[in-house]
Every structure is written in C-alpha cells, then in structure tokens.
Amino acid sequence: MIQSVRTVEDYLLHLKSKGFQLREDAIGFIYFGQQYTNSTDELTNTAIEITLKAQKGFDGSFYISLLETFASNKIYSRKAALQYVKKIELLAV
C-alpha cells in the first residue's frame, strides 16, 4: 500500500526492497506508459500496484489499458482510481 505520493522511481525502489523484482524491460514500459498517458506519479504508482495485485505480476498491456482507462474516465487520484476498480469489480480493494 502506498502511504504517500512518491515518485515512480521511489515506488519501484520500494517494491524492490520488499523483494519484488521487475525486469528492466518492465521498468522501461512503466515509464513509457506514464509518458504515453501523461499520468502523474501518483496515478502511475497506483496503476502499478493494481496491475501487480490483479495479474499477480507485471503485465504491460494490462497496465497500459488501466492508465488509458483512468485517463478516459478523468481519474486523476489514487483514491478515485481505487474507487473505480472497486466499482467495476476489478479488485476487491
């Protein structure tokens, strides 16, 4: 669980410290998705977290789709993103 807004780099380091290793191509894809969808660090970190929980690992296409869904639904905060995925029953958060 992300307690406060941190950069994507900080969040990835946090995941690594918890033993979750992402490959270099996945990390590159995370930054690509963030730029492609013009997402904030907060929303990007939330999309990473949801992707990992829903897919039990990092799935790039799921992650991009999630960021695009947030953008198209004008979701700009972690709280709104979590409410949205709960509403569509993607995760029990």
Side-chain angles (χ1 to χ4, degrees), residues 30-42:
I30 286 168
Y31 286 109
F32 166 78
Q34 181 181 23
Q35 290 181 335
Y36 177 72
T37 58
N38 199 30
S39 296
T40 63
D41 283 346
E42 177 184 27

Side-chain angles (χ1 to χ4, degrees), residues 17 29-30 47 56-57 76 80 92:
S17 76
F29 202 76
I30 286 168
K56 310 296 185 229
Y76 302 115

